[in-house]
Amino acid sequence: RQHGGSEFLPHEQHRIVAISCVLRQAGTLSVWSLGDLDSGEDELVRRFFDGIERHTPDLVSWNGGGFDLPVLQYRALLHGIAAPRYWETGQDDTTFRYNNYLSRYHWRHIDLMDVLSGFQGRSRAPLDEIAVMMGFPGKLGMSGSKVWDCFLQGELGRIRDYCETDVLNTYLIYLGFERMRGNLNEMEYQAECEKVKSSLVEDGRPHLQEFLAAWER
């Protein structure tokens, strides 16, 4: 608090207890958290970078460039985790020269907060507010400010559930962004939204049903 004016820790001092993803590929859409409730930080971080190593996915985040990825990088450094695909910039794969995960202005990682604000700090908006603006559920009573208390109370399951709804909000905003860019027409956008809804119904877990119910209200 003396150094920064708040209790928010420097990036390198954070410890990762949950990493959640939405994966859209072929005809499927999956929402899950890496590892399980007993997984240590090293396993979670290793699973994240191993996924990039195997699949080379496009990454989509909200403030990922400013927070999530730097934290992951510091913690991978701590645990001695190799991530050559993530750090590739064209030395071994020339397709990464002009489209890699590291450049702010490339598309292999899209930080939606950064892009939609025009890379201007004064224009940035919170994920929750943009999600609600677009008619999506937003935070549903949980927020990042409550994660520490949940952790102290041993509620890792609740943290994972929260992260999964957060990545759903991010993915849905991304669909709107793709529509705005012209990569999805209106019919395709609506079909992708319906794909999310049907996937949540099939999944059946309570926090995802709560998300769906809030979306359809």
Side-chain angles (χ1 to χ4, degrees):
R1 186 185 292 114
Q2 288 175 333
H3 179 73
S6 76
E7 293 186 346
F8 194 79
L9 293 171
H11 288 46
E12 74 279 4
Q13 293 182 20
H14 283 260
R15 179 154 67 92
I16 296 168
V17 298
I19 301 176
S20 301
C21 313
V22 171
L23 178 64
R24 180 73 168 100
Q25 60 178 355
T28 65
L29 184 142
S30 304
V31 184
W32 84 104
S33 295
L34 303 184
D36 53 41
L37 291 175
D38 297 324
S39 296
E41 180 186 54
D42 57 340
E43 179 183 348
L44 298 180
V45 176
R46 184 172 287 106
R47 282 175 179 261
F48 175 81
F49 285 112
D50 282 352
I52 291 178
E53 202 70 23
R54 289 195 302 269
H55 304 295
T56 315
D58 291 337
L59 297 180
V60 179
S61 71
W62 194 273
N63 196 30
F67 181 72
D68 303 74
L69 291 179
V71 171
L72 282 160
Q73 291 163 191
Y74 283 128
R75 304 312 282 183
L77 186 67
L78 170 67
H79 295 295
I81 294 169
R85 194 69 170 162
Y86 175 80
W87 291 103
E88 177 64 63
T89 57
Q91 310 95 303
D92 298 318
D93 185 339
T94 56
T95 65
F96 275 65
R97 185 168 299 161
Y98 303 108
N99 188 23
N100 56 63
Y101 292 114
L102 305 177
S103 173
R104 188 179 198 183
Y105 304 107
H106 289 178
W107 295 100
R108 205 176 288 277
H109 167 230
I110 301 173
D111 181 338
L112 287 171
M113 188 186 78
D114 215 13
V115 172
L116 289 169
S117 68
F119 306 101
Q120 300 295 316
R122 63 182 179 273
S123 305
R124 290 174 180 167
L127 171 65
D128 181 58
E129 292 183 12
I130 300 303
V132 171
M133 180 189 79
M134 294 180 67
F136 305 132
K139 298 287 188 178
L140 297 176
M142 178 66 172
S143 67
S145 64
K146 299 178 181 179
V147 166
W148 174 239
D149 288 335
C150 285
F151 176 75
L152 291 178
Q153 295 163 17
E155 297 180 336
L156 284 178
R158 188 179 175 200
I159 295 173
R160 286 160 66 94
D161 290 352
Y162 158 66
C163 290
E164 289 175 10
T165 58
D166 238 24
V167 293
L168 276 168
N169 281 307
T170 304
Y171 180 69
L172 291 169
I173 294 171
Y174 170 69
L175 293 179
F177 177 62
E178 287 294 271
R179 177 178 59 178
M180 182 168 63
R181 291 175 70 199
N183 292 333
L184 294 174
N185 61 36
E186 185 61 31
M187 184 178 298
E188 291 167 333
Y189 168 77
Q190 294 297 337
E192 286 298 317
C193 288
E194 289 303 314
K195 179 65 177 177
V196 176
K197 291 180 179 180
S198 63
S199 298
L200 296 183
V201 171
E202 291 172 11
D203 186 291
R205 285 177 289 164
H207 66 289
L208 299 184
Q209 301 315 298
E210 180 188 6
F211 185 93
L212 180 59
W215 184 6
E216 294 183 328
R217 246 176 240 149

